[in-house]
Amino acid sequence: MNPPVPILLLKTPSTPRDVYADHFAPPAHDARFVPVLEHCWQDANIREVEELLLAGAFGGATAGGDGRRHGGLVFTSQRAVEAFVRVLDGAQSKRPDTPLVPPSVPLYVVGPATQRALASSPHIQAASIHGAHTGNGDALAAFIVAHYPSLPSAGSPPLSLLFLVGQQRRPVIPSTLRGAGIGVDEVVVYDAALLPSFAAGLATALAALPREPAPWIIVFSPTGCRELLSVLDRLGPDPEPRRRARIATIGPTTRDFLLSTLGVAPDVCAATPSPEGVGEGIRGFLERHG
């Protein structure tokens, strides 16, 4: 039997279970997490979201939906989803007889991971979640422009969308939607910063791996890419190419950052931002290069 392929996942494991750990499980893989970011919740803004829910901003708390301000929500990160699910569950406990986010309200997500995280709430119906197939912000924005105005619940002209974001984000979704006449209100619900211990943790994780087979490093965002390359440079080139660490990104945003900013091309860019997409990319690489 071949030895397991080492997989370093540059992320904090999701709870209660992590789909990447499930996918890259023994005996074929040896997956290990190397946390990159530390997150800080923006409590005042999260309370603002709770107030919107309780005030019927999505049509769920006032008779006839008279308090509606937003026709849907947009999510592009699991942290934003975590904040929303927590605040929705808490707000819903105060109004147990009225769905604060009715099934007619579209919830737009950028990929399967955010879809799964959102569907974990018992107060959200899976049929309300759209966009998991898009895979990146550009594609999600184009999908919303085509999909949202056609919904009867959007109104005419369409009500604005509420976009829950981190402090650092790309402007592509708001600018695309506003250019199409769809209003967007952004609320920052968390901030993220590079863990001071990331580089040391990555170096320790790499040093603990066996010489063969070559490890795969799965990169989830541009944050930490400079430190990743610095650690790999310090380790030095391996005379055996088959033992070199290989890099896979979960989508084009991180791939483009590596290419345009750092001048490094990853070995794999997943076609879809999911464990399956990453796994298929790695298998394809190994079939071509061994």
Side-chain angles (χ1 to χ4, degrees), residues 222-245:
T223 305
C225 284
R226 285 188 174 86
E227 290 74 14
L228 163 63
L229 297 181
S230 176
V231 169
L232 294 178
D233 285 343
R234 288 202 300 272
L235 294 177
D238 197 303
E240 290 288 338
R242 61 196 175 92
R243 288 203 292 253
R244 283 203 303 261

Side-chain angles (χ1 to χ4, degrees), residues 60-72:
T62 57
D66 294 334
R68 287 188 72 201
R69 288 177 51 188
H70 301 289

Side-chain angles (χ1 to χ4, degrees), residues 16 43 47-48 71 101 115 118 143 160 163 179 236 238:
D43 293 331
R47 285 194 295 273
E48 177 187 337
V101 181
Q115 179 187 41
L118 197 54
F143 174 75
S160 67
F163 187 13
D238 197 303

Side-chain angles (χ1 to χ4, degrees), residues 31-94:
R32 309 178 188 194
F33 291 93
V34 181
V36 178
L37 300 172
E38 54 185 354
H39 294 90
C40 177
W41 299 116
Q42 300 295 309
D43 293 331
N45 293 347
I46 290 173
R47 285 194 295 273
E48 177 187 337
V49 175
E50 181 181 35
E51 291 168 2
L52 287 170
L53 287 165
L54 293 172
F58 303 95
T62 57
D66 294 334
R68 287 188 72 201
R69 288 177 51 188
H70 301 289
L73 292 106
V74 182
F75 304 91
T76 57
S77 76
Q78 289 193 62
R79 296 299 177 212
V81 171
E82 288 174 17
F84 181 70
V85 166
R86 188 172 77 247
V87 76
L88 174 61
D89 291 350
Q92 198 65 71
S93 68
K94 301 175 183 178

